[in-house]
Amino acid sequence: MRVFRNLHYLTVQTYKRGKVKPNCPQINIGFIPSYSQRFLSHDSPTIDTKAAISTSTSTLFQKLVEGERSALARAITLVESQHPQKQASAQNLLSMVLKDLKKRFQNLGHQSLSFRIGLTGPPGAGKSTFIETLGKLLTAQGYKVAVLAVDPSSSTTGGSLLGDKTRMQELSADINAFIRPSPASGCLGGVTRSTNEAIALCECAGYDIIIVETVGVGQSEYHVASMVDMFVMIVSPAGGDELQGLKKGIVELVDLVVVNKADGELIPSARRIQGDYISALKFVRARYKIWRPNVFCVSSRTKDGIPELWEEMQDFKNIMLETGDFVKKRKQQYKMWMWTLIEYNLLNAFKKHPRVKSLVSDTESRVENGIITPGQACDVLLKKFFGTD
């Protein structure tokens, strides 16, 4: 592609092997202001990159505080990036965001804190439909709702469908709602590497309710419980008996169980599953002395039980605020955020270490052929990484 430039207008022609492609129309880019033309020439002046990045980050932060949804989307894209320069900008932005959140808490107390709700459950339980129904109820009451939906990534291509926003068409069109689907990208625990960062950005942008929807594996999404204020599990009427409920280790972390799709012919099944989970929860040690998880039957299609469920969620928040557990847990969330980043960055540093990279292929081959055990291979690579060989 070659750009022809005159004083005030730009056109583009497509080239192939140095020749103009036959019958290729010119593409008009449009009028360019004269003050911008110097950046298109080869002799453009040197730009202070660090200063430009700092100014851009400050501008993004100001728009984020003002609640611009487009700025929030750009900020989340920035923190999700793995480009070194963008990661530096992301840390600069997050530093400003966390300082702003701390200042708000000092001035307004718990009123400045958003309500972070983690939502998990097996595929097909109706999580997306439930979120849309609950989200519309909340926006109608004047709340600003942010939804961070995590989709599973392909183990072969790394791609994700990111279909949650498509399934929440009404909520997507709501001016008081923000929906952000993100790929899991191989991260365990049902969330992404940057879910904590995205939550902080949403709170800075003024969203009262932040809902984190996990990938929906069902039993391994324990990480999300450490980054939200309330952890909710959604199950379908065909979720098994009370023994199956006990087998799910995730039940030990939930603050509320929701049996969805309790409508029509599924009402008897939903009532039975509700009773099974009530029985199962009796054998689970409570996370709080003053709160026992309840089990609700709701229908996202008919909206039955949704208002009562929201009242239960509000009761949980108010009790946690009164006892001080809400603020205490918020501090623990920042601590877990730190350790999550340490684990991720350590693993990345290990994989990219020159001594490790040079031995990985040969070591894997020796393990596959049974020459050494996986444990021995681990010891060899770790010694190379730490330089103790």
Side-chain angles (χ1 to χ4, degrees), residues 72 76 79 97 101 114 116-117 146 148 191 194-205 207 210-212 224 227-229 330 333 337:
L72 177 57
I76 295 177
V79 299
V97 166
L101 293 179
S114 63
R116 304 172 180 180
I117 303 171
L148 302 174
V191 291
S194 54
T195 300
N196 278 306
E197 288 87 337
I199 291 174
L201 293 172
C202 290
E203 184 167 333
C204 181
Y207 286 87
I210 302 171
I211 301 174
V212 182
V224 70
M227 57 180 68
V228 295
D229 306 315
R330 184 60 59 89
Q333 290 169 12
W337 180 359

Side-chain angles (χ1 to χ4, degrees), residues 17-32:
R17 293 182 180 177
K19 296 182 180 180
V20 179
K21 189 174 182 180
N23 301 322
C24 179
Q26 292 185 342
I27 304 172
N28 295 327
I29 294 180
F31 287 98
I32 303 296

Side-chain angles (χ1 to χ4, degrees), residues 359-373 377 380:
L359 287 177
V360 165
S361 180
D362 179 62
T363 306
E364 287 178 341
S365 177
R366 295 173 68 189
V367 170
E368 290 173 350
N369 294 323
I371 299 173
I372 59 174
T373 67
V380 169

Side-chain angles (χ1 to χ4, degrees), residues 27 144 172 180 210 351 383:
I27 304 172
K144 291 186 67 178
S172 299
R180 174 69 180 216
I210 302 171
K351 290 180 177 179
K383 285 180 180 179

Side-chain angles (χ1 to χ4, degrees), residues 86-124:
K86 290 186 177 180
Q87 284 182 342
S89 299
Q91 292 306 314
N92 188 19
L93 175 63
L94 287 169
S95 177
M96 290 187 282
V97 166
L98 293 179
K99 288 179 181 178
D100 182 70
L101 293 179
K102 184 177 180 180
K103 185 177 180 181
R104 292 185 194 181
F105 182 73
Q106 291 173 343
N107 294 334
L108 300 174
H110 62 79
Q111 294 181 356
S112 66
L113 300 176
S114 63
F115 189 20
R116 304 172 180 180
I117 303 171
L119 201 65
T120 188

